[in-house]
């Protein structure tokens, strides 16, 4: 029996950078306020989901050494598909020359972890290779006159290739949650812009992250002390600090990129994951806790034993 594991990874950020100082010229805010309340200094904007996804997906496949005709399924986690339809996954599929099925998944900022858990279920069956992408272009749905939201979001994409080549299970425990009673605290209507009740989202985000992470850790049969690194959704450093404090995991064991990405929704966890890998913060055998939350309110966590192919 072989198990699903991550064998390739890559990210993409659009070229245009918007700093806090740039924002201070657009709305009544300051670098000091944004940094203190969120930890964000700059973000990339003006991306499209299909373009960023194709770039990241192609690079992840090249790294894994997987050809287009070998990919069995494309899962694209996004909440900002380029068009209402077709699914952006179909456009990306064509761009990459894939011949497999392709579908968008919308679990807002929890999308990448929802996608990872879904992909791993396919790998428990007979699917050999999946391209999983988390991508969002939130700059296209932000109200640039609303200082309460426009300072938080950005665009980006992260992709991983999963292959059924592991000797041991890689996904040790997971948790998927949704509380639709809170659907009205963070939303975007068709053709509209992001509406957010920031304080309530903050409060619930800390609880959701803590609960999902606790469940995934318990189901993995490990403890918080066994987690080598947490790769959390990159919404606000204060949310991450509050959640990790409750989990009893020190901030030194966290991957953080939000300072230069802002909140990129479904892209934020793969962006932070790849950054941690690139900076040699994850070694084979390490337990990685990915945990996300977002509109819905959705939340999702996964404990993954890091099992890259021998290089
Ligand atoms: N610049 C300057 N002042 C701002 C501001 C900005 N960009 N945005 C809001 N303010 C003001 C408010 O108007 C308020 O002023 P008042 O006291 O005169 O009314 C003051 O700052 C405090 O606002 P408040 O909302 O209490 O700040 P906060 O500490 O809760 O931080 C958020 C605001 C949005 C950063 C915080 O609530 C948050 O991060 N929430 C979660 C958002 C999130 O993660 N969303 C995505 C989930 S996937």
């Amino acid at each position: 029996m072989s198990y699903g594991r991550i064998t390739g990874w890559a990210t993409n950020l659009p070229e245009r950078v918007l700093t806090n100082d740039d924002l201070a010229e657009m709305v009544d805010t300051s670098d000091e306020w944004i940094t203190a309340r969120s930890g964000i200094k700059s973000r990339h904007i003006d991306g499209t989901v299909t373009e960023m996804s194709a770039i990241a997906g192609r690079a992840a496949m090249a790294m894994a050494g997987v050809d287009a005709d070998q990919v069995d399924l494309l899962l694209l986690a996004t909440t900002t598909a380029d068009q209402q339809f077709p699914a952006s996954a179909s456009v990306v599929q064509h761009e990459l020359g894939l011949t497999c099925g392709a579908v968008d998944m919308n679990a807002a900022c929890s999308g990448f972890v929802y996608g990872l858990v879904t992909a791993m279920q396919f790998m428990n069956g007979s699917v050999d290779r999946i391209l999983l992408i988390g991508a969002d272009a939130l700059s296209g749905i932000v109200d640039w006159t609303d200082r309460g939201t426009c300072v938080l979001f950005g665009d980006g994409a992260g992709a991983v290739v999963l292959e059924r080549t592991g000797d041991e299970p890689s996904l040790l425990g997971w948790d998927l949650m949704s509380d639709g009673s809170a659907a009205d605290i963070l939303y975007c209507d068709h053709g509209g812009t992001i509406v957010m009740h920031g304080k309530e989202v903050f409060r619930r985000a800390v609880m959701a992250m803590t609960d999902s992470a606790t469940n995934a850790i318990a189901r993995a049969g490990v403890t918080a002390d066994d987690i080598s690194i947490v790769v959390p959704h990159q919404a606000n450093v204060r949310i991450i600090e509050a959640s990790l404090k409750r989990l009893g995991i020190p901030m030194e064991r966290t991957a953080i990129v939000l300072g230069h990405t802002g909140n990129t929704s479904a892209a934020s966890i793969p962006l932070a994951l790849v950054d941690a890998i690139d900076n040699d913060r994850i070694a084979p055998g390490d337990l990685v806790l990915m945990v996300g939350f977002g509109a819905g309110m959705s939340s999702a966590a996964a404990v993954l034993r890091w099992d890259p192919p021998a290089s």
Side-chain angles (χ1 to χ4, degrees):
M1 174 128 184
S2 300
Y3 299 90
R5 62 174 174 166
I6 293 175
T7 59
W9 50 86
T11 60
N12 179 253
L13 294 168
E15 252 172 52
R16 187 170 167 206
V17 174
L18 192 70
T19 65
N20 290 351
D21 287 336
D22 294 333
L23 278 164
E25 292 180 8
M26 297 160 62
V27 289
D28 183 12
T29 191
S30 63
D31 174 44
E32 197 184 10
W33 192 95
I34 303 168
T35 306
R37 301 292 176 114
S38 72
I40 299 165
K41 300 291 287 183
S42 63
R43 68 289 291 146
H44 293 249
I45 62 164
D46 291 350
T48 66
V49 162
T50 51
E51 218 175 297
M52 295 185 295
S53 297
I55 294 170
R58 185 176 285 116
M61 285 165 57
M63 181 184 173
V66 165
D67 293 332
D69 60 1
Q70 293 179 303
V71 178
D72 299 313
L73 183 65
L74 167 61
L75 297 176
L76 173 54
T78 186
T79 187
T80 50
D82 287 7
Q83 296 162 281
Q84 171 106 32
F85 63 83
S88 283
S90 297
V91 178
V92 174
Q93 179 223 27
H94 177 67
E95 185 66 31
L96 297 181
L98 311 183
T99 52
C100 58
V103 67
D104 285 2
M105 295 178 63
N106 183 350
C109 303
S110 311
F112 183 81
V113 180
Y114 261 82
L116 181 70
V117 172
T118 304
M120 286 294 191
Q121 308 312 305
F122 278 106
M123 302 237 125
N124 288 340
S126 58
V127 172
D128 291 327
R129 287 178 200 86
I130 295 179
L131 176 59
L132 167 66
I133 302 173
D136 267 303
L138 296 161
S139 66
I141 57 165
V142 155
D143 176 354
W144 291 105
T145 65
D146 175 13
R147 68 177 183 172
T149 53
C150 74
V151 302
L152 299 176
F153 299 101
D155 304 345
V160 296
V161 172
L162 292 120
E163 293 189 76
R164 201 155 60 95
T165 54
D167 294 330
E168 292 172 54
S170 170
L171 181 63
L172 304 187
W174 53 269
D175 182 66
L176 304 180
M177 289 169 99
S178 174
D179 178 3
S181 70
D184 59 350
I185 65 170
L186 176 58
Y187 63 91
C188 178
D189 287 326
H190 287 303
T193 52
I194 296 174
V195 179
M196 184 180 80
H197 301 281
K199 271 197 187 307
E200 187 58 11
V201 171
F202 191 111
R203 195 179 69 80
R204 286 176 179 261
V206 173
M207 290 191 301
M209 264 179 90
T210 311
D211 288 350
S212 251
T214 302
N215 291 342
I217 289 170
R219 286 180 194 146
V222 299
T223 68
D225 287 345
D226 298 319
I227 301 297
S228 306
I229 189 162
V230 183
V231 183
H233 173 45
Q234 310 281 307
N236 184 326
V237 75
R238 288 161 53 218
I239 294 177
I240 297 172
E241 281 166 357
S243 308
L244 288 204
K245 196 171 172 198
R246 285 164 187 235
L247 290 168
I249 300 177
M251 279 297 280
E252 300 81 68
R253 281 198 263 145
T254 317
I256 308 265
V257 294
L258 60 78
H260 72 277
T261 64
N263 179 347
T264 57
S265 196
S268 88
I269 287 179
L271 284 171
L273 175 71
V274 172
D275 183 78
I277 299 167
D278 288 349
N279 286 295
D280 296 325
R281 296 189 62 201
I282 307 183
D286 278 358
L287 297 191
V288 181
L289 168 67
M290 300 183 206
V291 55
F293 65 89
M297 294 270 302
S298 64
S299 57
V303 175
L304 200 75
R305 190 178 55 85
W306 189 240
D307 181 24
S311 50

